Amino acid sequence: GASVLAAGLSGNSSVTDLDLGGNRISETAWGGILTALQDPSCVLKKLSLGSTSINDAAALTLANVLTYSKQLKTLKLSSNREITLRGWQAIFSALQNPNCLLEELDLDDNRPHHLLMICLSNSLVNNSSLRSLDVSEIATTTAGWQAFFALLQNPNSALEKLFLHDN
């Protein structure tokens, strides 16, 4: 399954949208898929990984993809509750890198710690590419939301669309 997909993605120059939502993929297979996405000939623009039980190891590899992919514009990570503080920090750190050209990020229905909302906010202060962010159904504290909403007052923020339902 996933290892065959990884082999197919490596060097593929036609697939622009990949939805793996709801699939249970092993850590080894995640590594192969995400490594294939780093191939310079990969033209994937949209990656949907909702409810895929990504763990921290896959999140770290995904952070590398975000840092080096010039094509990936949309990333959907909804309902991935196995990612811990370490994994989220890696992903959010990638957003700080000027090489990260992500325009849309969906974090709907995750349960990050309030420190992650602060980390997300800090990572977006100088991010000039992210235009759409979904942080619906995010359980965080007042401190987490305060840090996040302070970001909206930052004149450098590129955010145009913000989804906050069911918070």
Side-chain angles (χ1 to χ4, degrees):
S3 58
V4 174
L5 174 62
L9 287 173
S10 186
N12 180 285
S13 61
S14 62
V15 175
T16 60
D17 190 337
L18 179 60
D19 186 346
L20 295 172
N23 287 294
R24 301 282 180 207
I25 300 172
S26 73
E27 188 172 320
T28 304
W30 271 127
I33 290 169
L34 295 174
T35 299
L37 298 179
Q38 294 179 50
D39 187 304
S41 63
C42 181
V43 295
L44 195 69
K45 293 181 187 212
K46 182 177 181 181
L47 180 59
S48 299
L49 300 174
S51 301
T52 52
S53 300
I54 292 175
N55 62 16
D56 284 343
L60 294 171
T61 305
L62 179 58
N64 284 334
V65 170
L66 292 174
T67 302
Y68 297 107
S69 174
K70 303 244 187 272
Q71 301 294 327
L72 192 62
K73 303 296 182 196
T74 301
L75 178 60
K76 296 186 179 279
L77 287 172
S78 60
S79 303
N80 278 296
R81 297 179 181 178
E82 291 183 27
I83 302 174
T84 68
L85 178 64
R86 181 175 167 239
W88 286 119
Q89 285 176 322
I91 290 169
F92 296 156
S93 179
L95 297 175
Q96 294 177 359
N97 190 308
N99 292 327
C100 179
L101 301 176
L102 201 63
E103 295 176 1
E104 181 180 346
L105 179 60
D106 180 354
L107 301 174
D108 179 36
D109 193 30
N110 283 297
R111 299 288 181 233
H113 189 277
H114 74 278
L115 291 176
L116 292 179
M117 287 301 286
I118 295 169
C119 183
L120 172 62
S121 302
N122 290 339
S123 71
L124 294 177
V125 167
N126 293 313
N127 179 295
S128 61
S129 65
L130 196 68
R131 305 269 185 259
S132 177
L133 178 64
D134 188 342
V135 286
S136 300
E137 299 183 65
I138 298 288
T140 192
T141 63
T142 300
W145 285 120
Q146 286 172 336
F148 182 75
F149 290 132
L151 168 70
L152 299 179
Q153 297 174 349
N154 182 336
N156 296 328
S157 174
L159 283 176
E160 297 171 355
K161 295 179 183 178
L162 185 58
F163 301 91
L164 298 167
H165 70 81
D166 294 324
N167 279 302

